[in-house]
Amino acid sequence: MDCVYVTGALNRARMSAAFLSGAPVAEAILARVSERVARLRARGTVPALATILVGDDPASAGYVRKKHETCQTVGMLSIDARLPAGAQPGELRELIHGLNADPAVHGVIVQSPLPKPLDFNLALLELDPHKDADGLHPESFGRLAVGLPGPVPATPAGIDAMFQHYGIDVAGQHVVIVGRGPTLGRPLSLLLSASRRGGNAAVTLVHSRIPEWQSFTRQADIVVVGVGQPGILKPDAVKPGAVVVSAGITWQGKKLVPDVDEAVGEVASWITPRLGGVGVTTVAMLLENTVSLAEAASSRAR
């Protein structure tokens, strides 16, 4: 299948890879979320997601805005909680505790990165695990590690949903993940290697301290990159026919640049597009986590 890849002022170039577009995946997820929200509302519960944004970083503000817009499309309430860039740890802690105590709030996310002196990991520890919409609380990580139900980090969950939507079976495949961060690399490795539908892969994690990490990606059936370094994965580091997912992005001015060089599309069998890839599925899975938390809260209240 040939696809046309267009970016910036570059001329149109023929690509051999098919696109792993996130839009149809997100639409299917959000359709299910809308149905679940409607059922909850019929029983008197209106699912609500609260976002916490500290400071005025334009990219973070844009991500938060998209989350609120998507909440509106599925009938979910959203609460926009903000603190100035100079906020102190005690102020953030007080805000999180207030949302924890509010029974009308079912999911909470702390938008990262946080400005100093705030610590994102310490902020997560203040969050009620029953309201962990991003699936990043240590309790959520533990549940994922041992195979118990719970919120799964939204970006890995979105990638998993993408593979399943396009019929890419990871079972028995060698998946190499570039990046070991807590929002992508580590949880995705747990998810794809677990004994579950959409799992059972052989997973290798590589990172900046691994010399010649490209020797691993050249062996991989599936490569996922999430390090926030533009074009770090080049065509010569990809096995022909591999599936390639760019989960890291960088803003260069007003342009969003992925971790995967566009020329990789000439080698891969599937590749995420520069726009409309993992980002939209991440938001969809965030809302699916939130409606699941709302259903659990509704059951506990009966």
Side-chain angles (χ1 to χ4, degrees), residues 33 37 41 46-49 71-78 287 290-291:
V33 170
V37 169
R41 292 181 73 115
V46 182
L49 171 68
C71 282
Q72 187 174 8
T73 66
V74 299
M76 190 180 293
L77 293 180
S78 60
L287 268 59
T290 302
V291 76

Side-chain angles (χ1 to χ4, degrees), residues 182-229:
T183 60
L184 175 70
R186 275 180 272 172
L188 183 60
S189 68
L190 292 171
L191 193 62
L192 297 185
S193 62
S195 178
R196 52 177 285 276
R197 180 175 178 267
N200 297 300
V203 179
T204 302
L205 269 177
V206 298
H207 45 81
S208 61
R209 300 298 294 273
I210 303 296
E212 297 296 327
W213 56 262
Q214 296 90 341
S215 65
F216 292 90
T217 60
R218 290 188 189 102
Q219 303 172 38
D221 303 302
I222 300 169
V223 181
V224 181
V225 190
V227 293
Q229 295 186 34

Side-chain angles (χ1 to χ4, degrees), residues 18-44:
F19 279 147
L20 285 166
S21 174
V25 185
E27 288 170 5
I29 295 166
L30 292 174
R32 297 195 302 268
V33 170
S34 295
E35 294 173 358
R36 294 166 67 184
V37 169
R39 288 196 292 269
L40 280 168
R41 292 181 73 115
R43 299 200 300 264

Side-chain angles (χ1 to χ4, degrees), residues 47-71:
L49 171 68
T51 62
I52 297 175
L53 177 64
V54 183
D56 53 6
D57 178 71
S60 293
Y63 298 145
V64 166
R65 182 170 58 252
K66 180 61 177 178
K67 290 163 186 173
H68 287 274
E69 290 171 353
T70 310
C71 282

Side-chain angles (χ1 to χ4, degrees), residues 58 87 94 126 214 276:
E94 183 179 355
E126 302 295 336
Q214 296 90 341

Side-chain angles (χ1 to χ4, degrees), residues 256-270:
L256 186 151
V257 183
D259 284 358
V260 176
D261 189 294
E262 67 164 327
V264 170
E266 300 168 5
V267 178
S269 60
W270 291 89

